Structure formats: structure tokens, C-alpha cells
């Protein structure tokens, strides 16, 4: 149950400090009516209580803050508000910011931003939380301002504090689990591996910067597990799904499952891709997991609610939002945070039973 947090009123503060409401109001709005020592003492005590004045304008004058944080999303707003992972992340942010009377301004980096608009946005916010940015989106980005508080999430931008998950380790863990079935051929359903909007197979020299992209980290985790099992991630078995879209993932999965040497395992970089891949396999007359195993990544609710349910890596998406907000507000130390992941075994790729 959500805890109701009572907002301090002018009357509450006056009672605690044992002065009149007029005295509190004068401290913020009419300093000439009070002695300097009394005013300073009242403002200091108010700040300790988390009370910054009888209105937002007074708070901004007192603290130099607007109480607004810009949330820069890597995808269109309509997509981010419906994508299960982005939605959970925004939920985590909102829980913390609401509790501390902060507002969120949602911004899409896909929009063409004019200089005037960028200046207006930077003056409106106390800083930015940058979510899920791909390397090419960080070049000359208007929100990369040295004087602004910037937290990056699901990405790495030099000079900023980041909040991420164990992408490499999570991918390695689930690939090792799946490879225990000893598939003869493995396909990787990658997410935004290339700077293109096409569903296609990849070449190594086309990949994003390995340090900057979480998808590349997951690919490296898969590759490590494959190598340990005497297999390799050959380009013709790696697909690029340009967005976390059921339609695009379904197309990629049908292409992969139509190969002459059909893969017996699909390593999918998201649960949305895994769900689409399972449906493509079933529509093609294949049995899951008897003919083909499928694994995902994220741990969204839908992955547990379909049949066959999806074996996946659960990431702490809501917690990730909370942590990012806490770092932004100074409630946590400003250092990089990496959250653990957890393997969740379900029907699409069960554990191998020892004979």
C-alpha cells in the first residue's frame, strides 16, 4: 500500500517553530520585516524540515532549484509509455520524486530540438536523467551540459554517474542454462545492435561501440557462454531487431526459423522479442521447448502469463528507477551503481533433467 506523505503547511511549520504564520511568511517573502538573525534561523530550520516556502516561486528563490527533473528518453514518448520495461522504470522514478515533491518533464531525444527550445528546457529543470541512450544519440546532445546534474541509466556516458544492471553476466548466465540442452545451432535475436531501422543480420564491424551499448554487453555474454560450449556466434545467425517491437521481432524470428539449418535455441535480448519468437515458432508448427528453446531478458509480467511461459533474466527495473532518482536528489552517493539480475526458469527453456 502506498504511504501517504503529508505535505508541510505554513501553519505546521509555524507551530513547530513556535512563531506566527506571518513571521514564517515574512522570512520568505518580506525579509525587511525581520531581523537578519531571526530570518536566517527560520530559514535554516525550515530547510531541515524540508519546507521551502509557501509557494513554488519562493522555493526556487530560496534554493536555486525549480523542483523539475528532465527525463530524456531514447525512444518516442508514445513508445516509452507503453513499453513494459520503460514503464516500470518511470514508475520507480515517480515514486521517489513524488515523495520529495519533484515533478518530471518527459523529453524524447528523437525530437528535433532547436537551440531556443534546448535553452528553455535547461532553464526549466534542475538536471536530467538520461534513459537507455544509444551511442549515436549522445553526439552533440543538448542535455549534455557541464553545469547540470546528469544521471545516465542503461547507458554509459563519460563524466556522468550511471545506473545499470549486470547485462553481461545476466546474458552469460541464461545462455549457459540454455546451452545445457546442447543445441546444434543457436540464433541470437539482438536488440538495436546496429544503427539502422531494418530487421537484418549483422556484421561485426557494424556494431555499436562495445562499451556504450547494453545490447553489445548482452551479446558478449552470449558469446562467452557459446565459446565455453565449443560454439561461436556467427554473423549469419545474429539478427538485429531495431526496436523492442512484437512485429519486428516476429519477422526476425520467422527468418531465423526458416534457415536451412534451423536453430534449436533462440537467445533473445528482451522478453518482448522472446514472446514474439515463441509465437512465430508455434505458428510454424514447431513445439516449444521440444523442437526449439527460447529465452528472454527483462522479467516483464507478460513473460510469466503466456504459454509456454518464458525463461528469462529478471532485472530490477522499478528499483533502477528508484535508485536513479535517489542519486539525482543526493539521497545516495554519486557513484556508479550496478544492480544484480536473476535467472527465472520457466517452460520455454526448462532445466535439463539428469538421467
Amino acid at each position: 500500500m502506498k504511504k501517504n506523505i503529508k505535505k508541510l503547511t505554513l501553519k505546521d511549520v509555524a507551530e513547530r517553530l513556535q512563531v506566527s504564520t506571518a513571521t514564517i511568511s515574512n522570512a520568505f517573502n518580506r525579509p525587511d520585516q525581520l531581523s537578519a538573525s531571526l530570518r536566517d534561523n527560520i530559514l535554516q530550520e525550515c530547510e531541515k524540515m524540508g519546507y521551502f516556502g509557501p509557494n513554488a516561486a519562493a522555493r526556487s528563490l530560496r534554493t536555486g532549484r525549480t523542483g523539475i527533473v528532465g527525463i530524456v528518453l531514447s525512444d518516442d514518448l508514445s513508445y516509452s509509455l507503453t513499453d513494459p520495461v520503460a514503464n516500470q522504470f518511470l514508475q520507480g522514478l515517480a515514486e521517489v520524486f513524488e515523495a520529495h515533491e519533484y515533478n518530471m518533464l518527459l523529453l524524447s531525444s528523437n525530437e528535433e530540438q532547436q537551440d531556443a527550445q534546448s535553452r528553455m528546457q535547461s532553464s526549466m529543470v534542475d538536471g536530467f536523467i538520461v534513459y537507455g541512450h544509444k551511442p549515436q544519440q549522445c553526439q552533440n546532445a543538448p542535455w549534455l551540459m557541464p553545469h547540470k546534474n546528469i544521471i545516465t541509466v542503461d547507458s554509459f556516458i563519460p563524466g556522468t554517474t550511471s545506473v545499470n544492471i549486470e547485462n553481461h553476466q545476466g546474458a552469460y548466465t541464461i545462455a549457459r542454462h540454455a546451452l545445457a540442452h546442447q543445441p546444434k545451432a543457436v540464433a541470437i535475436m539482438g536488440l538495436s545492435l546496429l544503427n539502422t531501422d531494418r530487421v537484418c543480420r549483422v556484421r561485426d564491424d557494424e556494431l555499436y561501440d562495445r562499451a556504450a551499448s547494453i545490447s553489445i554487453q548482452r551479446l558478449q555474454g552470449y558469446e562467452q557462454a557459446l565459446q565455453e560450449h565449443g560454439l561461436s556466434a556467427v554473423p549469419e545467425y545474429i539478427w538485429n531487431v531495431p526496436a523492442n517491437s512484437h512485429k519486428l521481432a516476429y519477422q526476425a524470428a520467422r527468418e531465423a526459423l526458416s534457415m536451412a539449418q534451423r536453430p534449436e535455441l533462440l537467445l533473445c535480448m528482451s522478453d518482448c522479442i522472446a514472446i514474439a519468437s515463441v509465437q512465430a515458432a508455434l505458428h510454424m508448427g514447431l513445439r516449444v521447448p521440444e523442437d526449439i528453446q527460447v529465452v528472454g531478458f527483462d522479467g516483464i509480467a507478460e513473460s510469466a502469463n503466456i504459454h509456454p511461459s518464458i525463461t528469462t533474466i529478471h532485472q530490477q527495473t522499478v528499483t533502477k528507477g528508484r535508485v536513479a532518482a535517489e542519486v539525482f536528489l543526493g539521497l545516495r552517493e554519486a557513484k556508479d551503481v550496478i544492480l544484480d539480475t536473476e535467472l527465472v526458469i520457466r517452460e520455454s527453456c526448462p532445466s535439463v533433467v539428469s538421467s
Side-chain angles (χ1 to χ4, degrees):
M1 182 176 179
K2 186 176 177 181
K3 182 180 179 181
N4 292 321
I5 299 175
K6 185 176 184 295
K7 181 178 178 180
L8 285 173
T9 66
L10 187 66
K11 184 178 179 181
D12 294 332
V13 175
E15 289 178 353
R16 291 191 190 185
L17 298 184
Q18 296 184 336
V19 296
S20 67
T21 55
T23 299
I24 300 296
S25 180
N26 286 338
F28 285 95
N29 302 319
R30 302 180 64 191
D32 59 307
Q33 300 297 307
L34 304 175
S35 67
S37 59
L38 177 58
R39 178 174 184 268
D40 289 343
N41 180 62
I42 289 175
L43 293 179
Q44 288 173 11
E45 292 301 316
C46 287
E47 188 168 2
K48 290 178 184 177
M49 285 186 273
Y51 180 77
F52 298 104
N55 55 56
R59 180 172 79 170
S60 180
L61 289 171
R62 166 64 181 150
T63 65
R65 300 195 303 267
T66 65
I68 302 173
V69 55
I71 312 299
V72 186
L73 303 164
S74 62
D75 297 292
D76 295 333
L77 294 182
S78 58
Y79 172 86
S80 297
L81 292 173
T82 55
D83 176 69
V85 178
N87 194 272
Q88 289 179 344
F89 170 70
L90 290 171
Q91 175 189 334
L93 289 178
E95 288 177 4
V96 175
F97 284 131
E98 285 177 2
H100 291 82
E101 298 183 12
Y102 251 78
N103 293 307
M104 299 191 303
L105 176 64
L106 300 184
L107 307 168
S108 172
S109 66
N110 286 349
E111 296 174 356
E112 294 296 329
Q113 300 189 50
Q114 303 297 323
D115 289 342
Q117 182 184 9
S118 300
R119 285 195 297 270
M120 178 192 71
Q121 290 173 351
S122 66
S123 66
M124 289 173 60
V125 302
D126 296 326
F128 298 94
I129 291 180
V130 182
Y131 174 65
H133 270 58
K134 306 174 185 72
Q136 85 278 11
Q137 293 176 310
C138 299
Q139 299 173 1
N140 302 316
W143 36 262
L144 278 178
M145 303 170 186
H147 61 286
K148 287 290 184 180
N149 185 13
I150 299 175
I151 309 298
T152 53
V153 181
D154 280 355
S155 57
F156 297 90
I157 301 175
T160 67
T161 301
S162 65
V163 179
N164 287 279
I165 65 166
E166 286 280 11
N167 287 288
H168 181 283
Q169 184 61 41
Y172 171 75
T173 298
I174 199 166
R176 278 196 62 186
H177 163 78
L179 289 168
H181 289 269
Q182 299 183 335
K184 295 183 177 64
V186 179
I188 295 173
M189 301 288 100
L191 177 60
S192 299
L193 290 170
L194 309 178
N195 186 14
T196 177
D197 59 1
R198 295 181 297 113
V199 171
C200 59
R201 281 174 274 192
V202 308
R203 295 200 312 264
D204 188 68
D205 59 358
E206 295 176 319
L207 294 173
Y208 281 141
D209 179 85
R210 289 184 178 272
S213 171
I214 63 171
S215 294
I216 301 301
Q217 294 173 41
R218 294 180 189 180
L219 178 61
Q220 289 176 315
Y222 295 152
E223 289 175 334
Q224 180 183 347
L226 287 166
Q227 289 170 4
E228 291 179 4
H229 281 75
L231 301 171
S232 60
V234 291
E236 57 264 34
Y237 279 84
I238 305 176
W239 263 260
N240 174 66
V241 181
N244 202 23
S245 152
H246 184 280
K247 179 181 178 180
L248 297 174
Y250 186 91
Q251 175 187 339
R254 284 195 67 95
E255 290 180 11
L257 296 173
S258 298
M259 295 185 71
Q261 185 180 8
R262 190 186 71 230
E264 297 175 348
L265 168 63
L266 297 183
L267 299 172
C268 303
M269 288 192 184
S270 79
D271 285 348
C272 289
I273 295 175
I275 291 169
S277 297
V278 165
Q279 292 181 348
L282 296 176
H283 292 166
M284 295 173 73
L286 300 173
R287 298 171 300 164
V288 180
E290 293 83 1
D291 298 324
I292 182 168
Q293 289 89 47
V294 179
V295 299
F297 202 114
D298 288 331
I300 64 175
E302 290 84 348
S303 66
N305 296 333
I306 71 164
H307 177 71
S309 55
I310 304 297
T311 293
T312 187
I313 286 291
H314 174 75
Q315 62 160 309
Q316 305 175 62
T317 311
V318 176
T319 299
K320 187 165 52 179
R322 294 188 190 119
V323 169
E326 289 169 358
V327 173
F328 183 89
L329 293 174
L331 304 175
R332 284 176 176 259
E333 184 180 353
K335 65 178 183 180
D336 293 344
V337 178
I338 298 180
L339 300 172
D340 293 334
T341 58
E342 178 186 2
L343 173 63
V344 180
I345 300 173
R346 299 195 183 109
E347 296 168 332
S348 68
C349 188
S351 296
V352 173
V353 180
S354 301
S355 56

